[in-house]
Coordinates of all heavy atoms in Angstrom, one line a residue:
M215 N 122.2 143.5 69.6 CA 121.8 142.6 68.5 C 120.3 142.3 68.5 O 119.8 142.0 69.6 CB 122.7 141.4 68.6 CG 123.4 141.1 67.4 SD 124.4 139.6 67.6 CE 125.7 140.2 66.6
T216 N 119.7 142.2 67.4 CA 118.3 141.9 67.3 C 118.2 140.4 67.1 O 119.2 139.7 66.8 CB 117.6 142.7 66.2 OG1 118.1 142.2 65.0 CG2 117.8 144.2 66.3
E217 N 117.0 139.9 67.1 CA 116.7 138.4 66.8 C 117.0 138.1 65.3 O 117.2 137.0 65.0 CB 115.3 138.1 67.1 CG 114.9 138.1 68.6 CD 113.5 137.7 68.8 OE1 113.0 137.0 68.0 OE2 113.0 138.1 69.9
E218 N 117.0 139.1 64.5 CA 117.2 138.9 63.1 C 118.7 138.7 62.7 O 119.1 138.5 61.5 CB 116.6 140.0 62.3 CG 115.1 140.1 62.2 CD 114.6 138.8 61.6 OE1 115.0 138.4 60.5 OE2 113.6 138.3 62.2
T219 N 119.6 138.9 63.6 CA 121.0 138.7 63.4 C 121.6 137.6 64.1 O 121.2 137.3 65.2 CB 121.8 140.0 63.7 OG1 121.7 140.3 65.0 CG2 121.3 141.2 62.9
T220 N 122.7 137.0 63.6 CA 123.4 136.0 64.3 C 124.5 136.6 65.0 O 124.9 137.7 64.9 CB 123.9 134.9 63.3 OG1 124.8 135.6 62.4 CG2 122.8 134.2 62.5
A221 N 125.1 135.8 66.0 CA 126.2 136.2 66.8 C 127.4 136.6 65.9 O 128.2 137.4 66.2 CB 126.6 135.1 67.8
T222 N 127.6 135.9 64.8 CA 128.7 136.0 63.9 C 128.1 136.7 62.6 O 127.3 136.3 62.0 CB 129.4 134.7 63.5 OG1 129.8 134.0 64.7 CG2 130.6 135.0 62.6
A223 N 128.7 137.9 62.3 CA 128.3 138.7 61.1 C 128.8 137.9 59.9 O 129.9 137.4 59.9 CB 128.9 140.1 61.1
L224 N 127.9 137.7 58.9 CA 128.2 136.9 57.7 C 128.6 137.9 56.6 O 128.1 139.1 56.6 CB 127.0 136.1 57.2 CG 126.6 134.9 58.2 CD1 125.4 134.3 57.6 CD2 127.7 134.0 58.4
S225 N 129.4 137.5 55.7 CA 129.7 138.3 54.6 C 128.5 138.3 53.7 O 127.6 137.5 53.8 CB 130.9 137.6 53.7 OG 130.4 136.4 53.2
P226 N 128.5 139.4 52.8 CA 127.3 139.4 51.9 C 127.2 138.1 51.1 O 125.9 137.7 50.9 CB 127.7 140.6 50.9 CG 128.6 141.5 51.8 CD 129.4 140.5 52.7
R227 N 128.2 137.5 50.7 CA 128.1 136.3 49.9 C 127.5 135.2 50.8 O 126.6 134.4 50.3 CB 129.5 135.8 49.5 CG 129.6 134.6 48.7 CD 130.9 134.2 48.2 NE 131.0 133.1 47.4 CZ 132.0 132.4 47.1 NH1 133.2 132.8 47.4 NH2 131.9 131.3 46.3
D228 N 127.8 135.0 52.0 CA 127.3 134.0 52.9 C 125.8 134.3 53.3 O 125.0 133.4 53.5 CB 128.2 133.9 54.2 CG 129.4 133.1 53.9 OD1 129.4 132.3 52.9 OD2 130.3 133.1 54.7
E229 N 125.5 135.6 53.3 CA 124.0 136.0 53.6 C 123.2 135.5 52.4 O 122.2 135.0 52.6 CB 123.9 137.5 53.7 CG 124.2 138.1 55.2 CD 123.1 137.7 56.2 OE1 122.0 137.2 55.8 OE2 123.5 137.6 57.3
K230 N 123.8 135.6 51.1 CA 123.0 135.1 50.0 C 122.9 133.6 50.0 O 121.8 133.1 49.7 CB 123.7 135.6 48.7 CG 123.5 137.0 48.4 CD 124.2 137.4 47.1 CE 124.2 138.9 46.8 NZ 124.8 139.3 45.6
R231 N 124.0 133.0 50.4 CA 123.9 131.5 50.6 C 122.9 131.0 51.6 O 122.1 130.2 51.4 CB 125.2 131.0 51.0 CG 126.3 131.0 49.9 CD 127.7 130.5 50.5 NE 128.6 130.4 49.4 CZ 129.9 130.2 49.6 NH1 130.4 130.2 50.8 NH2 130.7 130.1 48.6
A232 N 122.9 131.7 52.7 CA 121.9 131.4 53.8 C 120.5 131.7 53.3 O 119.5 130.8 53.6 CB 122.2 132.2 55.0
A233 N 120.2 132.8 52.6 CA 118.9 133.1 52.1 C 118.4 132.0 51.0 O 117.3 131.5 51.1 CB 118.9 134.5 51.4
R234 N 119.4 131.5 50.2 CA 119.0 130.5 49.2 C 118.7 129.2 49.9 O 117.7 128.5 49.6 CB 120.2 130.3 48.3 CG 119.9 129.2 47.2 CD 121.1 129.0 46.3 NE 122.4 129.1 46.8 CZ 123.0 128.1 47.5 NH1 122.5 126.9 47.6 NH2 124.3 128.3 48.0
I235 N 119.5 128.8 50.9 CA 119.2 127.6 51.7 C 117.9 127.7 52.5 O 117.1 126.7 52.5 CB 120.4 127.3 52.6 CG1 121.7 126.9 51.7 CG2 120.1 126.1 53.5 CD1 122.9 126.9 52.6
A236 N 117.6 128.9 53.0 CA 116.4 129.1 53.7 C 115.2 129.0 52.8 O 114.2 128.4 53.2 CB 116.4 130.5 54.4
K237 N 115.3 129.4 51.6 CA 114.2 129.3 50.6 C 113.9 127.8 50.5 O 112.7 127.3 50.4 CB 114.6 129.9 49.3 CG 113.5 129.9 48.3 CD 114.0 130.6 47.0 CE 112.9 130.4 45.9 NZ 113.4 131.1 44.7
N238 N 114.9 126.9 50.3 CA 114.8 125.5 50.1 C 114.2 124.9 51.4 O 113.4 124.0 51.3 CB 116.1 124.8 49.8 CG 116.6 125.2 48.5 OD1 115.9 125.6 47.5 ND2 118.0 125.1 48.3
V239 N 114.6 125.3 52.5 CA 114.0 124.8 53.8 C 112.6 125.1 53.9 O 111.8 124.3 54.3 CB 114.9 125.3 55.0 CG1 114.2 125.0 56.3 CG2 116.3 124.8 54.9
K240 N 112.2 126.4 53.6 CA 110.8 126.8 53.6 C 110.0 125.9 52.7 O 108.9 125.5 53.0 CB 110.6 128.3 53.2 CG 111.0 129.2 54.3 CD 110.9 130.7 53.8 CE 111.5 131.7 54.6 NZ 111.3 133.0 54.0
A241 N 110.5 125.7 51.5 CA 109.8 124.9 50.5 C 109.5 123.4 51.0 O 108.5 122.9 50.9 CB 110.6 124.9 49.2
F242 N 110.6 122.9 51.7 CA 110.4 121.5 52.3 C 109.4 121.6 53.3 O 108.5 120.7 53.3 CB 111.8 121.1 52.9 CG 111.6 119.8 53.7 CD1 111.9 118.6 53.1 CD2 111.3 119.8 55.1 CE1 111.7 117.4 53.7 CE2 111.2 118.6 55.7 CZ 111.3 117.4 55.1
A243 N 109.4 122.5 54.2 CA 108.3 122.7 55.3 C 106.9 122.8 54.6 O 106.0 122.1 55.0 CB 108.5 123.9 56.2
A244 N 106.8 123.6 53.6 CA 105.5 123.8 53.0 C 105.0 122.5 52.3 O 103.8 122.2 52.4 CB 105.6 124.9 51.9
A245 N 105.9 121.8 51.7 CA 105.5 120.5 51.1 C 105.2 119.3 52.0 O 104.7 118.3 51.6 CB 106.7 120.1 50.1
H246 N 105.6 119.5 53.3 CA 105.5 118.4 54.2 C 104.7 118.8 55.5 O 105.2 118.6 56.7 CB 106.9 117.8 54.6 CG 107.5 117.2 53.4 ND1 107.1 116.0 52.9 CD2 108.5 117.6 52.6 CE1 107.9 115.7 51.8 NE2 108.7 116.7 51.6
G247 N 103.5 119.3 55.3 CA 102.7 119.5 56.4 C 102.6 121.0 56.9 O 102.0 121.3 57.9
G248 N 103.4 121.9 56.2 CA 103.4 123.3 56.6 C 104.5 123.7 57.6 O 104.5 124.9 57.9
S249 N 105.0 122.8 58.2 CA 106.1 123.1 59.2 C 107.2 122.1 59.2 O 107.0 121.0 58.7 CB 105.6 123.4 60.6 OG 105.1 122.1 61.1
A250 N 108.3 122.4 59.9 CA 109.4 121.4 60.0 C 110.3 121.8 61.2 O 110.2 122.9 61.7 CB 110.3 121.4 58.8
D251 N 111.0 120.8 61.6 CA 112.1 121.1 62.6 C 113.4 120.8 62.0 O 113.5 119.9 61.2 CB 111.9 120.1 63.9 CG 110.6 120.4 64.7 OD1 110.5 121.4 65.2 OD2 109.7 119.5 64.7
G252 N 114.4 121.5 62.4 CA 115.7 121.4 61.8 C 116.8 121.3 62.9 O 116.7 121.8 63.9
V253 N 117.7 120.4 62.6 CA 118.9 120.2 63.4 C 120.1 120.6 62.6 O 120.3 120.1 61.6 CB 119.0 118.7 63.9 CG1 120.2 118.5 64.8 CG2 117.7 118.3 64.6
V254 N 120.9 121.4 63.2 CA 122.2 121.9 62.6 C 123.3 120.9 63.1 O 123.5 120.8 64.4 CB 122.5 123.3 62.9 CG1 123.8 123.8 62.2 CG2 121.3 124.2 62.4
E255 N 124.0 120.3 62.2 CA 125.0 119.3 62.6 C 126.3 119.5 61.7 O 126.2 119.7 60.5 CB 124.5 117.8 62.3 CG 123.2 117.5 62.9 CD 122.8 116.2 62.5 OE1 122.8 115.8 61.3 OE2 122.3 115.4 63.4
Y256 N 127.4 119.4 62.3 CA 128.7 119.5 61.6 C 128.8 118.2 60.7 O 128.5 117.1 61.2 CB 129.9 119.5 62.5 CG 130.2 120.8 63.2 CD1 129.9 121.1 64.5 CD2 130.7 121.9 62.4 CE1 130.1 122.3 65.1 CE2 130.9 123.1 63.0 CZ 130.6 123.3 64.3 OH 130.9 124.5 64.9
V257 N 129.2 118.3 59.5 CA 129.5 117.2 58.6 C 131.0 117.0 58.6 O 131.5 115.9 58.6 CB 128.9 117.4 57.2 CG1 129.4 116.3 56.3 CG2 127.4 117.5 57.3
G258 N 131.7 118.1 58.5 CA 133.2 118.0 58.5 C 133.7 119.5 58.5 O 132.9 120.4 58.7
T259 N 134.9 119.6 58.0 CA 135.5 121.0 58.0 C 134.9 121.9 57.0 O 135.0 123.1 57.1 CB 137.1 121.0 57.9 OG1 137.4 120.2 56.8 CG2 137.6 120.2 59.2
L260 N 134.4 121.3 56.0 CA 133.8 122.1 54.8 C 132.3 122.2 54.7 O 131.9 122.8 53.7 CB 134.5 121.5 53.5 CG 136.0 121.5 53.4 CD1 136.4 120.9 52.1 CD2 136.5 123.0 53.5
A261 N 131.7 121.5 55.6 CA 130.2 121.6 55.4 C 129.4 121.4 56.7 O 130.0 120.8 57.7 CB 129.7 120.6 54.4
T262 N 128.3 121.9 56.8 CA 127.3 121.7 57.9 C 126.0 121.3 57.3 O 125.6 121.8 56.3 CB 127.2 123.0 58.7 OG1 128.5 123.2 59.3 CG2 126.2 122.8 59.9
R263 N 125.4 120.3 58.0 CA 124.1 119.8 57.5 C 123.0 120.4 58.3 O 123.1 120.4 59.5 CB 124.1 118.2 57.6 CG 122.9 117.5 57.2 CD 123.1 116.1 57.5 NE 122.0 115.3 57.1 CZ 121.4 114.3 57.9 NH1 122.0 114.1 59.1 NH2 120.4 113.6 57.5
I264 N 121.8 120.7 57.6 CA 120.6 121.0 58.4 C 119.7 119.8 58.0 O 119.2 119.6 56.9 CB 120.0 122.3 57.8 CG1 120.9 123.5 57.9 CG2 118.7 122.5 58.5 CD1 120.4 124.7 57.1
A265 N 119.5 119.0 59.0 CA 118.6 117.8 58.9 C 117.2 118.3 59.2 O 117.0 118.9 60.2 CB 119.0 116.7 59.8
L266 N 116.2 118.0 58.4 CA 114.8 118.4 58.5 C 113.9 117.3 58.7 O 114.0 116.3 58.1 CB 114.5 119.2 57.3 CG 115.4 120.4 57.0 CD1 115.1 120.8 55.5 CD2 115.0 121.5 57.9
V267 N 112.9 117.5 59.5 CA 111.8 116.6 59.8 C 110.5 117.4 59.6 O 110.3 118.4 60.4 CB 111.9 115.9 61.1 CG1 110.6 115.0 61.3 CG2 113.1 115.2 61.3
G268 N 109.7 117.1 58.6 CA 108.5 117.8 58.3 C 107.4 117.4 59.3 O 107.5 116.3 60.0
A269 N 106.3 118.2 59.3 CA 105.2 117.9 60.2 C 104.6 116.4 59.8 O 104.0 115.8 60.8 CB 104.1 118.9 60.1
D270 N 104.7 116.1 58.7 CA 104.2 114.7 58.2 C 105.1 113.5 58.4 O 104.9 112.5 58.1 CB 103.7 114.8 56.7 CG 104.9 115.0 55.8 OD1 106.1 115.2 56.2 OD2 104.7 115.0 54.5
G271 N 106.3 113.8 59.0 CA 107.3 112.8 59.2 C 108.3 112.6 58.2 O 109.3 111.9 58.4
A272 N 108.1 113.2 57.0 CA 109.1 113.2 55.9 C 110.5 113.8 56.4 O 110.5 114.7 57.3 CB 108.7 113.9 54.7
W273 N 111.6 113.4 55.9 CA 112.9 113.9 56.3 C 113.7 114.3 55.1 O 113.5 113.7 54.0 CB 113.6 113.1 57.3 CG 113.9 111.7 56.8 CD1 113.0 110.6 56.8 CD2 115.1 111.2 56.3 NE1 113.6 109.5 56.2 CE2 114.9 109.9 55.9 CE3 116.3 111.8 56.0 CZ2 116.0 109.1 55.4 CZ3 117.3 111.1 55.4 CH2 117.1 109.8 55.1
G274 N 114.5 115.2 55.2 CA 115.5 115.7 54.2 C 116.5 116.5 54.8 O 116.6 116.6 56.0
D275 N 117.4 117.0 54.0 CA 118.4 117.8 54.5 C 118.9 118.9 53.4 O 118.5 118.8 52.3 CB 119.6 117.0 55.0 CG 120.3 116.2 53.8 OD1 120.0 116.4 52.8 OD2 121.3 115.6 54.3
Q276 N 119.6 119.8 54.0 CA 120.3 120.9 53.1 C 121.7 120.9 53.7 O 121.9 120.8 54.9 CB 119.6 122.2 53.3 CG 118.3 122.3 52.6 CD 118.4 122.4 51.1 OE1 119.1 123.4 50.6 NE2 118.0 121.4 50.4
V277 N 122.6 121.2 52.8 CA 124.0 121.3 53.2 C 124.5 122.8 53.1 O 124.2 123.4 52.0 CB 125.0 120.3 52.5 CG1 126.4 120.5 52.9 CG2 124.6 118.9 52.7
A278 N 125.1 123.3 54.1 CA 125.6 124.6 54.1 C 127.2 124.7 54.1 O 127.7 123.7 54.7 CB 125.0 125.5 55.3
P279 N 127.9 125.7 53.6 CA 129.3 125.7 53.7 C 129.9 125.9 55.0 O 131.1 125.7 55.2 CB 129.7 126.8 52.7 CG 128.5 127.7 52.7 CD 127.3 126.8 52.9
S280 N 129.1 126.3 56.0 CA 129.6 126.6 57.3 C 128.5 126.5 58.3 O 127.4 126.6 58.0 CB 130.3 127.9 57.4 OG 129.4 129.0 57.4
Y281 N 128.9 126.4 59.5 CA 127.9 126.3 60.6 C 127.2 127.6 60.8 O 126.0 127.6 60.9 CB 128.6 125.9 62.0 CG 127.7 125.5 63.1 CD1 127.4 124.1 63.1 CD2 127.2 126.3 64.0 CE1 126.6 123.6 64.2 CE2 126.3 125.8 65.0 CZ 126.0 124.5 65.1 OH 125.2 124.0 66.1
A282 N 127.9 128.7 60.7 CA 127.2 130.0 60.7 C 126.2 130.2 59.6 O 125.1 130.8 59.9 CB 128.3 131.1 60.7
V283 N 126.5 129.8 58.5 CA 125.5 129.9 57.3 C 124.3 129.0 57.6 O 123.1 129.4 57.4 CB 126.2 129.5 56.0 CG1 125.2 129.4 54.8 CG2 127.2 130.6 55.6
A284 N 124.6 127.8 58.1 CA 123.5 126.9 58.4 C 122.5 127.5 59.5 O 121.3 127.5 59.4 CB 123.9 125.6 58.8
E285 N 123.2 128.0 60.5 CA 122.3 128.7 61.6 C 121.5 129.9 61.0 O 120.3 130.0 61.4 CB 123.3 129.2 62.7 CG 123.8 128.1 63.6 CD 124.6 128.6 64.7 OE1 125.4 129.6 64.5 OE2 124.4 128.2 65.9
R286 N 122.1 130.6 60.2 CA 121.4 131.8 59.6 C 120.3 131.3 58.7 O 119.2 131.9 58.8 CB 122.4 132.7 58.9 CG 121.7 133.9 58.3 CD 121.3 134.9 59.3 NE 120.8 136.0 58.7 CZ 119.9 136.8 59.1 NH1 119.2 136.5 60.2 NH2 119.5 137.9 58.4
A287 N 120.5 130.2 58.0 CA 119.5 129.7 57.1 C 118.2 129.2 57.9 O 117.1 129.5 57.5 CB 120.0 128.6 56.2
V288 N 118.5 128.5 59.0 CA 117.5 128.1 59.9 C 116.7 129.2 60.4 O 115.5 129.3 60.4 CB 118.0 127.1 61.0 CG1 116.9 126.9 62.1 CG2 118.5 125.8 60.4
E289 N 117.4 130.2 60.9 CA 116.8 131.5 61.4 C 115.9 132.1 60.4 O 114.8 132.5 60.7 CB 117.9 132.4 61.9 CG 117.5 133.7 62.5 CD 118.7 134.5 62.9 OE1 119.8 134.0 63.1 OE2 118.5 135.7 63.0
L290 N 116.5 132.3 59.1 CA 115.7 133.0 58.1 C 114.5 132.2 57.7 O 113.4 132.7 57.3 CB 116.5 133.2 56.9 CG 117.6 134.3 57.0 CD1 118.6 134.3 55.8 CD2 117.0 135.6 57.3
S291 N 114.5 130.8 57.7 CA 113.5 129.9 57.2 C 112.3 129.9 58.1 O 111.2 129.6 57.8 CB 114.0 128.5 57.0 OG 114.2 127.9 58.2
G292 N 112.5 130.2 59.4 CA 111.4 130.2 60.4 C 111.0 128.8 60.9 O 110.1 128.7 61.6
V293 N 111.8 127.7 60.6 CA 111.5 126.4 61.1 C 111.9 126.4 62.6 O 112.8 127.1 62.9 CB 112.2 125.3 60.2 CG1 111.7 125.3 58.8 CG2 113.6 125.3 60.3
N294 N 111.4 125.4 63.3 CA 111.8 125.2 64.7 C 113.2 124.6 64.7 O 113.4 123.6 63.9 CB 110.8 124.3 65.3 CG 109.4 124.8 65.3 OD1 109.2 126.0 65.6 ND2 108.4 124.0 65.1
R295 N 114.0 125.1 65.5 CA 115.3 124.4 65.7 C 115.4 123.6 66.9 O 115.0 123.8 68.0 CB 116.4 125.6 65.9 CG 117.7 125.0 66.1 CD 118.8 125.8 65.5 NE 120.1 125.1 65.7 CZ 121.2 125.7 66.0 NH1 121.3 127.0 66.0 NH2 122.3 125.1 66.1
A296 N 115.8 122.3 66.5 CA 116.0 121.3 67.6 C 117.4 121.1 67.8 O 118.3 121.3 66.9 CB 115.3 120.0 67.2
E297 N 117.8 120.7 69.0 CA 119.2 120.5 69.4 C 119.8 119.2 68.9 O 120.9 119.0 68.6 CB 119.4 120.7 70.8 CG 119.2 122.0 71.4 CD 120.1 123.0 70.7 OE1 121.4 122.7 70.6 OE2 119.6 124.1 70.3
N298 N 118.9 118.1 68.8 CA 119.4 116.9 68.3 C 118.2 116.0 67.9 O 116.9 116.5 68.0 CB 120.2 116.1 69.4 CG 119.4 116.0 70.7 OD1 118.2 115.5 70.8 ND2 120.1 116.4 71.7
F299 N 118.4 114.8 67.4 CA 117.3 113.9 67.0 C 116.8 113.0 68.1 O 115.9 112.1 67.8 CB 117.8 113.0 65.8 CG 117.6 113.6 64.5 CD1 118.7 114.1 63.7 CD2 116.3 113.8 64.0 CE1 118.5 114.6 62.5 CE2 116.2 114.4 62.7 CZ 117.2 114.8 62.0
E300 N 117.3 113.1 69.3 CA 116.9 112.3 70.3 C 115.5 112.6 70.7 O 115.0 113.7 70.5 CB 117.8 112.4 71.5 CG 119.2 111.9 71.2 CD 120.2 112.2 72.4 OE1 119.7 112.5 73.5 OE2 121.3 112.1 72.1
G301 N 114.7 111.6 71.3 CA 113.4 111.8 71.7 C 112.3 111.9 70.7 O 112.3 111.3 69.6
E302 N 111.4 112.9 70.9 CA 110.2 113.1 70.1 C 110.5 113.3 68.6 O 109.8 112.8 67.7 CB 109.5 114.3 70.6 CG 108.2 114.5 70.0 CD 107.4 115.7 70.5 OE1 107.5 116.0 71.7 OE2 106.7 116.4 69.6
L303 N 111.5 114.1 68.3 CA 111.9 114.4 66.9 C 112.3 113.1 66.2 O 111.7 112.9 65.1 CB 113.0 115.4 66.8 CG 113.3 115.9 65.4 CD1 112.1 116.5 64.7 CD2 114.5 116.9 65.4
G304 N 113.1 112.3 66.7 CA 113.5 111.1 66.1 C 112.3 110.1 65.9 O 112.2 109.4 64.9
L305 N 111.4 110.1 66.8 CA 110.3 109.2 66.7 C 109.3 109.7 65.6 O 108.5 108.9 65.1 CB 109.5 109.2 68.0 CG 110.3 108.5 69.2 CD1 109.5 108.6 70.5 CD2 110.5 107.0 68.9
R306 N 109.3 111.0 65.2 CA 108.4 111.4 64.2 C 108.8 111.1 62.8 O 108.1 111.1 61.8 CB 108.4 113.0 64.3 CG 107.4 113.5 65.3 CD 107.0 114.9 65.2 NE 107.4 115.6 64.1 CZ 108.2 116.8 64.1 NH1 108.4 117.4 65.2 NH2 108.5 117.4 63.0
V307 N 110.2 110.8 62.6 CA 110.7 110.5 61.3 C 110.0 109.2 60.8 O 110.0 108.2 61.5 CB 112.2 110.2 61.3 CG1 112.8 109.8 60.0 CG2 112.8 111.6 61.7
K308 N 109.5 109.2 59.6 CA 108.9 108.1 58.9 C 109.8 107.6 57.8 O 110.3 108.4 57.0 CB 107.5 108.5 58.3 CG 106.5 108.8 59.3 CD 105.1 109.1 58.7 CE 104.1 109.4 59.8 NZ 102.9 109.9 59.3
T309 N 110.1 106.3 57.8 CA 111.0 105.8 56.8 C 110.2 104.8 56.0 O 109.2 104.2 56.5 CB 112.2 105.0 57.5 OG1 111.7 104.1 58.4 CG2 113.1 106.0 58.1
G310 N 110.6 104.7 54.7 CA 109.9 103.8 53.8 C 110.7 102.6 53.5 O 111.7 102.4 54.1
A311 N 110.1 101.8 52.5 CA 110.8 100.5 52.2 C 112.2 100.8 51.7 O 113.1 100.0 52.0 CB 110.0 99.8 51.1
Y312 N 112.4 101.9 50.9 CA 113.8 102.2 50.4 C 114.8 102.3 51.5 O 115.8 101.7 51.4 CB 113.8 103.4 49.5 CG 115.1 104.0 49.1 CD1 115.8 103.4 48.1 CD2 115.6 105.0 49.9 CE1 117.1 103.8 47.8 CE2 117.0 105.4 49.6 CZ 117.7 104.8 48.6 OH 119.0 105.3 48.3
E313 N 114.4 103.1 52.5 CA 115.4 103.3 53.6 C 115.7 102.0 54.4 O 116.8 101.8 54.7 CB 114.8 104.4 54.6 CG 114.8 105.8 54.0 CD 113.6 106.1 53.3 OE1 112.7 105.3 53.1 OE2 113.5 107.2 52.6
W314 N 114.6 101.2 54.6 CA 114.9 100.0 55.3 C 115.7 99.0 54.5 O 116.7 98.3 55.1 CB 113.5 99.3 55.7 CG 112.8 99.9 56.8 CD1 111.8 100.7 56.8 CD2 113.3 99.9 58.1 NE1 111.5 101.2 58.0 CE2 112.4 100.7 58.9 CE3 114.3 99.2 58.8 CZ2 112.5 100.9 60.3 CZ3 114.5 99.5 60.2 CH2 113.5 100.2 61.0
R315 N 115.5 98.9 53.2 CA 116.4 98.1 52.4 C 117.8 98.6 52.4 O 118.8 97.9 52.4 CB 115.9 98.0 50.9 CG 114.7 97.1 50.7 CD 114.4 96.9 49.2 NE 114.3 98.1 48.5 CZ 113.1 98.8 48.3 NH1 112.0 98.3 48.8 NH2 113.0 99.8 47.6
R316 N 118.0 99.9 52.3 CA 119.3 100.5 52.2 C 120.0 100.3 53.6 O 121.2 99.9 53.6 CB 119.2 102.0 52.0 CG 120.5 102.7 52.0 CD 120.6 103.6 50.7 NE 121.8 104.4 50.9 CZ 123.0 104.1 50.4 NH1 123.1 102.9 49.7 NH2 124.0 104.8 50.5
M317 N 119.3 100.4 54.7 CA 119.9 100.2 56.0 C 120.3 98.8 56.2 O 121.4 98.4 56.7 CB 119.0 100.7 57.2 CG 118.8 102.2 57.2 SD 117.9 102.7 58.7 CE 116.2 102.5 58.1
A318 N 119.5 97.8 55.7 CA 119.8 96.5 55.8 C 120.9 96.1 55.0 O 121.8 95.3 55.4 CB 118.6 95.6 55.4
G319 N 121.1 96.7 53.8 CA 122.1 96.4 52.9 C 123.5 96.8 53.5 O 124.5 96.3 53.3
I320 N 123.4 98.0 54.2 CA 124.7 98.5 54.9 C 125.0 97.6 55.9 O 126.2 97.3 56.1 CB 124.4 100.0 55.4 CG1 124.3 101.0 54.3 CG2 125.6 100.3 56.3 CD1 123.8 102.3 54.6
Q321 N 124.1 97.1 56.8 CA 124.4 96.2 57.9 C 124.9 94.8 57.4 O 125.8 94.3 58.0 CB 123.1 96.0 58.7 CG 122.6 97.3 59.4 CD 123.6 97.8 60.5 OE1 124.3 97.0 61.2 NE2 123.8 99.1 60.6
L322 N 124.4 94.4 56.3 CA 124.7 93.1 55.8 C 126.0 93.1 54.8 O 126.4 92.1 54.4 CB 123.6 92.4 55.0 CG 122.3 92.2 55.8 CD1 121.1 91.8 54.9 CD2 122.6 91.2 56.9
G323 N 126.4 94.3 54.5 CA 127.7 94.5 53.7 C 127.3 94.3 52.2 O 128.2 94.0 51.4
S324 N 126.1 94.4 51.8 CA 125.7 94.1 50.5 C 126.0 95.4 49.6 O 125.8 96.5 49.9 CB 124.2 93.9 50.3 OG 123.9 92.7 51.1

């Protein structure tokens, strides 16, 4: 197996999905400092999330229909893959007033 293939062979449909998601991930990285780190996380049985942190500290995400598609999308996009948000990656995330208000509202039950 080469570096360009994943351990699980994807169907042609899933390869197209991964390519579409990778295009969005590349666009995010380009718009936020030219690079990004991505963390692949299970959301549930029907989706997997690629959480992204740009070089400028902006964050966003993309949702894939499976873990394999998400892994392939990260691979195709060329972003750095992180195992989790702990440590340096989490510290790079910049949040604005909107996020702080939203988090406070959740905590206060508003």
